[in-house]
Amino acid sequence: MKSRVIILTRTLSVAFFIFGLTLFGSPTASAQDCGGTGKPINNTNSGKEFLVCFMRNENPEWDFGNASNFQDIFIAAASADSAIVTINCNAFPDLNKVFRLPPNGAVTWRVSTDPVIVGHSDDGILNSDEVVDKKVFRVSSNNPITCYGLNNKNQTADAFVALPKQVASTDYYVLTFPTSNIGPFAFPGQTQPSEFCVAAFENGTNVTITPKVQTVGQHKKAFQITLNAGECYQVLADTSISLSDLTGSHVTSDKQVVVYGGHSRSECPIGFTHAGGNSSSRDHLAEAMPPLTTWGYKYITKNFGTPNHPSADVIRVLASNNGTIVKVDGIPWGKPFAAGEFRDTTASDGNDLSQLMAIESDDQHRILVGMIAHSSLASSPAGDPFLVILSPVDQAFSDYTYFIPDSKLYSEHWLIIFAEEAAKGNISIAGAAAIPASQYVQAPQLTGGKNYWVTTVKQSSGIKRITGPGNFIILAYGWGDVISYGYTAGALYRGLTAFRQVIPPPVPAAPGNGTHPAATPSVIVRNILNEKVYFDSMSVTYHQNAGRNVVHFKEDIVNEIGTLDMGTENAMELVTEKPVTAPIIGDIRIWSHSAQWRDLTPVDFSFNIQPQNVAGVSQAQSGGLFLEHYPNPSNGLVSVHFNLGIASKASLRIYDLLGRVVRNVMDARSQSGEEYIQVDTKGLPAGAYTLELNAPELGLTKHSSMLLVE
């Protein structure tokens, strides 16, 4: 007779639910039974292959041929190794640029003035409308590099990050801005459209585009195209329809693609005009769209603060799921969002760091957040709009390489840093002294209680490296005379795990001999991806104090939850072969993948099965759980003190940012429940770590952040 058992769970650190990777290397993720390749995955914006597209910027006939019309590609070595970089383009068969970068070296290539391209119409800019175009610049390297673009024309420009192939995906939503047709530009042929483009890495890439509004090619519903390697397809909103906006358009494909979104030239907010006239300061908007699987839940931002003319920048929030609840500064933002729905709000006026904003969704539905700088408030001061895609705090990291353009067109360059607590006061740019902690201002509190801090730093031109320890996110931007640029300068682009654990109400006791509990089993998984999840294999590993009581799933996993639809959850019930007479402690391990992914890291759900006579030990009964360590930060011995309240088996482990165990400190029974331990951290690289105390017999876990310095 099989008896059902209650599974008492513990909450795991977020490090075990995300696939965080380092800048210069990555672990090998494994898959089971479904063809997983086991290839290393790097989830930063550094890589070895990029596709750069310069979307339409202003009307083609408005190119005045002056020296301020150019397109730049910025490349920097992303490691201490040298790099050989090659740039090709199918539209220019004779183009074969080769750059040899020394370790940590960088180069800027001006596309539009290269002898191979000079004389060709439109230089490197895409001026095609819904036709397959070959004007895609393929940047490849033998070692990791970072790559950025700058699309600059007379009084209209923007910069953008290029995402490498290993970050590229097959599912995107697009964030743009409404078609502009105000003031003197409101006559036929000179309205400026909302736009995006799709570029393919491989031959025979089938792409499905579902536009949000009618396009210039008269597409109103989903349509399909096929692209070969190095080809792209630019989509423009129908300019005959006032204020048409492609935001929320959906792009899917059967092979990896990259997507760029933005606007050919817009004012912000839409319809804004200078006081006393009908003209407006307008600018190109361009940014790489993050894959859907890399969107996040929590964002922090601040007003850019146009120089000498403080103004309210526009924040645009886009949802991909029905029922997405969004909060701004802790207050729900109207009714839940529908899939593909977006809303605009504004960042507070002013250039003061106190003007900060927190945006977050519920923990089941991710969102994309873009920010567009306000137009200049007069006809020719510093300013003009630009677009950045905000990075969620879920994607913070500690090491980025970014660029600041070398151009006389821009008089001011700035960097905004959004830092975790451990990074505040420890972040250094180009090897200089760390930015003092006193220069940071605390951001509004996000759900979960984690603190974030913000500062702005004035910048000079050049390629720069910014490092922790501690994680952070950066945005770069600059102002000129009715011109500007801005871009997402540093973040991770990792796919969040396919599911999360949901902790149900506590159950007071495990079953006795052959009895069945009335409560629902407590290991529940929820799919938080925007697509179906497939489970490759599962296993239960366990150990117990006495006896050999086999634990397994009540139903075969392939039949029970072989797949899990998006936004749904499923309870996973265990059974034992015999009545429970001794504690059984173990883990449920699940490997999964989406329709596109085959290399996800397994996720462990811990369980603790107690016999009737010892079940229900709570934290309150055990006198509470206490964990501290000092000094923090440390560069040597760390003193750890914990108290479980009663005697119990306990483990103490150190995890890195990837959720990997880097040091097993203790795995033994504490006779009193209280211990003082000296931990030698020698051999561990400087950076942020998590110290975990686990008392499986009590069902208790405690985490504490640990910072190691040189």
Side-chain angles (χ1 to χ4, degrees):
M1 179 74 178
K2 295 180 179 179
S3 65
R4 298 184 183 182
V5 297
I6 300 302
I7 306 168
L8 302 178
T9 62
R10 62 187 177 89
T11 303
L12 299 183
S13 162
V14 71
F16 304 105
F17 289 100
I18 54 180
F19 304 113
L21 300 174
T22 61
L23 184 63
F24 306 132
S26 61
T28 299
S30 61
Q32 300 287 324
D33 302 332
C34 288
T37 61
K39 295 179 180 177
I41 303 172
N42 183 324
N43 289 297
T44 72
N45 63 304
S46 68
K48 297 181 180 181
E49 184 176 357
F50 304 79
L51 300 178
V52 179
C53 299
F54 295 98
M55 293 186 298
R56 173 173 164 174
N57 183 358
E58 191 185 58
N59 282 344
E61 62 269 24
W62 293 1
D63 190 338
F64 304 115
N66 89 35
S68 65
N69 298 337
F70 57 84
Q71 299 81 51
D72 285 343
I73 293 178
F74 300 84
I75 303 162
S79 72
D81 297 321
S82 59
I84 300 175
V85 181
T86 304
I87 304 179
N88 303 104
C89 180
N90 292 342
F92 308 104
D94 295 332
L95 181 66
N96 185 38
K97 302 297 295 185
V98 178
F99 300 99
R100 300 179 184 276
L101 302 184
N104 302 310
V107 67
T108 299
W109 175 53
R110 183 144 295 179
V111 179
S112 50
T113 59
D114 191 277
V116 175
I117 296 175
V118 169
H120 289 266
S121 61
D122 304 328
D123 297 330
I125 295 179
L126 291 171
N127 281 316
S128 57
D129 301 336
E130 294 183 42
V131 297
V132 174
D133 198 313
K134 296 182 178 181
K135 208 173 291 180
V136 178
F137 295 92
R138 179 177 177 268
V139 181
S140 58
S141 174
N142 66 325
N143 280 316
I145 57 173
T146 56
C147 182
Y148 305 90
L150 174 66
N151 190 344
N152 198 112
K153 294 182 73 173
N154 186 44
Q155 298 184 0
T156 177
D158 203 0
F160 52 88
V161 63
L163 298 183
K165 183 177 181 181
Q166 82 273 3
V167 167
S169 184
T170 59
D171 197 349
Y172 297 82
Y173 277 88
V174 179
L175 191 147
T176 66
F177 210 54
T179 294
S180 174
N181 53 3
I182 64 116
F185 310 113
F187 46 91
Q190 294 189 346
T191 52
Q192 300 296 312
S194 177
E195 65 185 4
F196 67 89
C197 76
V198 185
F201 288 94
E202 300 179 39
N203 290 335
T205 299
N206 298 307
V207 181
T208 300
I209 298 174
T210 306
K212 190 74 171 183
V213 296
Q214 180 171 300
T215 71
V216 72
Q218 305 303 296
H219 288 108
K220 300 179 182 179
K221 298 180 179 180
F223 64 98
Q224 292 187 329
I225 60 171
T226 299
L227 299 175
N228 287 324
E231 293 181 342
C232 69
Y233 191 89
Q234 180 170 251
V235 178
L236 307 177
D238 188 341
T239 55
S240 68
I241 302 174
S242 179
L243 303 179
S244 56
D245 193 334
L246 287 167
T247 298
S249 298
H250 196 190
V251 177
T252 60
S253 58
D254 60 356
K255 299 177 183 177
Q256 289 171 297
V257 295
V258 291
V259 177
Y260 292 93
H263 197 290
S264 57
R265 193 176 187 229
S266 179
E267 72 282 353
C268 177
I270 200 70
F272 172 82
T273 58
H274 299 312
N278 64 350
S279 64
S280 176
S281 291
R282 311 167 90 189
D283 215 339
H284 183 51
L285 308 180
E287 194 63 273
M289 297 292 105
L292 183 58
T293 50
T294 70
W295 292 14
Y297 306 91
K298 303 178 189 299
Y299 296 78
I300 296 170
T301 191
K302 71 170 292 291
N303 182 277
F304 292 116
T306 307
N308 305 317
H309 296 277
S311 52
D313 302 324
V314 171
I315 294 176
R316 173 161 289 198
V317 179
L318 172 64
S320 64
N321 288 91
N322 291 327
T324 299
I325 298 171
V326 177
K327 294 181 180 180
V328 177
D329 290 340
I331 301 173
W333 189 0
K335 65 181 182 179
F337 283 56
E341 181 183 353
F342 65 91
R343 297 177 194 167
D344 291 347
T345 185
T346 56
S348 302
D349 290 359
N351 195 28
D352 191 306
L353 276 175
S354 64
Q355 306 297 327
L356 302 173
M357 182 180 293
I359 303 168
E360 55 189 319
S361 69
D362 56 81
D363 66 357
Q364 305 304 324
H365 303 123
R366 287 171 287 182
I367 54 177
L368 183 67
V369 182
M371 189 166 173
I372 303 95
H374 198 288
S375 288
S376 298
L377 302 186
S379 59
S380 59
D384 267 11
F386 57 80
L387 168 67
V388 297
I389 300 296
L390 299 182
S391 297
V393 296
D394 314 72
Q395 301 283 24
F397 190 52
S398 59
D399 192 335
Y400 308 107
T401 300
Y402 65 99
F403 83 97
I404 298 298
D406 183 13
S407 171
K408 294 183 175 62
L409 297 176
Y410 303 102
S411 56
E412 293 186 17
H413 306 279
W414 293 90
L415 197 70
I416 306 179
I417 304 173
F418 305 91
E420 295 179 357
E421 184 91 40
K424 182 186 67 170
N426 295 310
I427 298 172
S428 175
I429 299 176
I435 302 164
S438 60
Q439 294 185 15
Y440 290 79
V441 173
Q442 188 168 357
Q445 192 76 47
L446 291 163
T447 301
K450 195 170 185 178
N451 292 324
Y452 291 88
W453 299 78
V454 186
T455 189
T456 56
V457 185
K458 200 163 188 177
Q459 297 285 280
S460 57
S461 298
I463 297 284
K464 302 176 186 294
R465 184 176 178 184
I466 182 170
T467 57
N471 292 333
F472 54 93
I473 292 162
I474 55 175
L475 300 176
Y477 61 99
W479 307 107
D481 188 7
V482 293
I483 200 168
S484 64
Y485 73 89
Y487 71 98
T488 308
L492 292 178
Y493 295 90
R494 55 192 171 195
L496 301 185
T497 185
F499 45 85
R500 287 183 173 178
Q501 188 172 15
V502 179
I503 308 298
V507 180
N513 294 337
T515 61
H516 293 262
T520 303
S522 59
V523 166
I524 303 173
V525 295
R526 179 187 294 271
N527 175 11
I528 61 168
L529 284 184
N530 295 285
E531 53 188 306
K532 183 177 289 187
V533 169
Y534 302 81
F535 295 91
D536 284 355
S537 67
M538 308 187 75
S539 65
V540 179
T541 58
Y542 67 93
H543 60 273
Q544 57 193 48
N545 291 336
R548 299 295 302 171
N549 197 347
V550 177
V551 178
H552 58 80
F553 291 104
K554 179 185 176 185
E555 303 289 344
D556 182 86
I557 190 60
V558 174
N559 296 326
E560 188 173 358
I561 51 170
T563 62
L564 193 60
D565 289 331
M566 58 185 179
T568 59
E569 66 181 38
N570 200 313
M572 301 181 59
E573 193 170 0
L574 299 184
V575 295
T576 60
E577 295 293 338
K578 299 182 296 184
V580 178
T581 59
I584 306 175
I585 302 139
D587 297 286
I588 304 170
R589 172 162 288 188
I590 307 174
W591 286 268
S592 70
H593 65 81
S594 74
Q596 289 78 32
W597 295 0
R598 297 297 177 96
D599 297 287
L600 294 188
T601 303
V603 176
D604 292 332
F605 296 96
S606 296
F607 63 81
N608 174 13
I609 303 169
Q610 295 287 338
Q612 182 72 42
N613 61 344
V614 299
V617 176
S618 68
Q619 183 168 335
Q621 292 170 316
S622 68
L625 184 62
F626 176 81
L627 172 67
E628 70 174 3
H629 57 92
Y630 49 89
N632 191 30
S634 172
N635 62 357
L637 288 177
V638 176
S639 297
V640 179
H641 173 208
F642 70 83
N643 192 344
L644 302 172
I646 60 175
S648 175
K649 180 177 175 57
S651 66
L652 193 64
R653 297 184 176 93
I654 300 175
Y655 293 87
D656 66 10
L657 289 174
L658 310 182
R660 300 175 298 189
V661 177
V662 295
R663 189 83 30 109
N664 281 304
V665 179
M666 170 187 171
D667 194 0
R669 172 166 289 276
S670 173
Q671 297 304 317
S672 65
E674 183 173 15
E675 299 285 347
Y676 292 86
I677 300 173
Q678 289 285 316
V679 180
D680 186 2
T681 62
K682 184 178 179 181
L684 295 179
Y689 295 83
T690 297
L691 183 67
E692 181 193 71
L693 172 65
N694 180 29
E697 294 174 356
L698 304 178
L700 301 176
T701 302
K702 184 78 170 179
H703 295 97
S704 182
S705 297
M706 174 184 289
L707 183 63
L708 301 182
V709 296
E710 296 289 351

